Amino acid sequence: MSTLNWTTTSTWIDDSIEVLSNISDKININELAEKVNNGEILGDRKLSSSKRVFSAIKARYLNKDEEKVLALSKVIKSNLSKQEKYNHMFLYYLEYETLAKAFLEGYIFNNYNEYSQKTFTQKDLDRFFEKLFEEKKYMLSKNLQQEISEQSINKVRNQLMKFLEDFKWGEKKDEKLYIKRPNLSAEWFVYVLFYYFSTETIDILDVHRSNVFNKFLLNKYDIEYFISQANIKGLIDVQRLGDINIISKKNGGILEYARNY
């Protein structure tokens, strides 16, 4: 059973970029930890703080399939714009910070696409938490199921408002969150496909059914647009014949794809 991680800590995006930039062709957590200990990485902090930040970064980005970690490292060290790098990191962040993901795909997505709601307030957070505690409280840790302090709730509220701003997907102002989804590229879209679909061919219907792109606030029309753009750019091959609607990958797996960045 999946769990909802209670998001209480900062995104530490620039620190995460620093760590990911120190990965070469293999992942060596012990080597990275040693660089933290000797101040080579995250050296502008006290050691205790550096270790705490590194622990969060490791959980969010490094404790995954090796190819996916190395692929993200290639993206971070590429010449892509800072926002493009943020967009790729956002994928990994949401896969670990599952409460933040639930907020996006379980609350913001519907309001954003069905009602064109771009501004979210504390009342929206109240509704989200009310629904969460009614339907998914069992997915929280046992301690949180028994009791959640007001201080803990407030930390989570702040982070659910703040993390979108940090990744430049929104802006927090006057206790309101303004959704400002950045321009997304066909290259990023295909990267997400590589991340979630391991087979060489992908049924387009399966992409729509998977709800993979809900957390990125993309509806079915957005998805079809990006499939078309990726096909035009030669990033994928698309075959549409009757009931057959298939995406064929190029460039092997996600790591090979990222090397082309």
Side-chain angles (χ1 to χ4, degrees):
M1 181 180 68
S2 59
T3 59
L4 291 174
N5 291 326
W6 200 239
T7 309
T8 58
T9 57
S10 171
T11 54
W12 290 307
I13 295 179
D14 290 336
D15 295 302
S16 300
I17 288 175
E18 182 181 355
V19 171
L20 288 163
S21 296
N22 274 272
I23 296 174
S24 54
D25 292 328
K26 286 189 177 181
I27 303 166
N28 190 324
I29 301 296
N30 292 332
E31 183 179 304
L32 290 172
E34 182 58 32
K35 288 185 177 182
V36 172
N37 287 333
N38 64 28
E40 190 175 341
I41 299 177
L42 309 180
D44 57 343
R45 299 173 177 272
K46 291 183 179 179
L47 181 57
S48 58
S49 175
S50 296
K51 287 182 176 181
R52 180 168 57 88
V53 172
F54 179 69
S55 179
I57 292 170
K58 181 172 65 173
R60 290 168 177 164
Y61 301 105
L62 306 183
N63 289 342
K64 300 183 186 296
D65 175 89
E66 184 174 30
E67 280 207 358
K68 291 177 178 177
V69 178
L70 292 175
L72 182 59
S73 176
K74 297 295 182 187
V75 170
I76 295 303
K77 291 187 286 188
S78 74
N79 292 323
L80 289 178
S81 70
K82 200 165 188 178
Q83 184 61 59
E84 274 282 273
K85 293 176 182 180
Y86 284 179
N87 295 342
H88 285 73
M89 293 173 66
F90 196 43
L91 161 62
Y92 290 69
Y93 179 88
L94 291 176
E95 281 306 298
Y96 180 78
E97 297 295 352
T98 45
L99 184 69
K101 180 169 71 170
F103 181 49
L104 273 172
E105 65 184 10
Y107 188 85
I108 289 183
F109 173 79
N110 290 330
N111 290 284
Y112 182 86
N113 281 291
E114 291 185 24
Y115 308 112
S116 298
Q117 181 181 349
K118 303 294 192 297
T119 304
F120 294 81
T121 67
Q122 290 294 328
K123 286 186 178 180
D124 289 293
L125 281 172
D126 290 340
R127 294 189 190 101
F128 167 69
F129 279 115
E130 182 179 351
K131 184 178 180 181
L132 176 79
F133 294 143
E134 284 180 358
E135 301 177 2
K136 297 183 178 180
K137 191 173 183 178
Y138 68 94
M139 296 175 69
L140 297 171
S141 68
K142 290 184 179 180
N143 290 339
L144 291 173
Q145 289 180 39
Q146 295 171 1
E147 182 181 6
I148 303 176
S149 69
E150 190 64 29
Q151 181 183 17
S152 182
I153 283 283
N154 287 335
K155 282 184 178 181
V156 171
R157 284 177 182 276
N158 289 334
Q159 285 306 313
L160 289 182
M161 284 283 193
K162 188 71 168 55
F163 84 96
L164 287 165
E165 182 176 52
D166 291 347
F167 281 99
K168 311 304 181 187
W169 282 61
E171 180 183 4
K172 182 184 176 184
K173 187 177 180 181
D174 299 327
E175 299 304 315
K176 294 179 181 179
L177 174 64
Y178 300 88
I179 298 296
K180 296 181 178 180
R181 192 183 70 197
N183 290 329
L184 300 172
S185 66
E187 287 79 6
W188 169 87
F189 178 84
V190 173
Y191 188 97
V192 177
L193 286 179
F194 272 73
Y195 186 97
Y196 285 107
F197 297 92
S198 59
T199 55
E200 289 299 314
T201 59
I202 308 166
D203 191 320
I204 293 175
L205 187 58
D206 288 341
V207 176
H208 287 292
R209 286 172 174 167
S210 70
N211 296 326
V212 158
F213 290 96
N214 285 16
K215 57 182 165 291
F216 304 114
L217 310 181
L218 300 181
N219 59 36
K220 61 182 180 180
Y221 304 106
D222 297 321
I223 292 169
E224 286 296 327
Y225 169 78
F226 280 114
I227 290 173
S228 175
Q229 289 300 301
N231 187 41
I232 290 171
K233 287 189 170 186
L235 303 172
I236 55 175
D237 287 325
V238 178
Q239 295 176 299
R240 296 185 187 271
L241 182 62
D243 292 335
I244 299 174
N245 294 278
I246 292 175
I247 295 170
S248 296
K249 292 180 180 178
K250 295 183 177 180
N251 303 316
I254 191 170
L255 180 54
E256 290 303 313
Y257 178 73
R259 284 194 176 114
N260 290 321
Y261 279 22

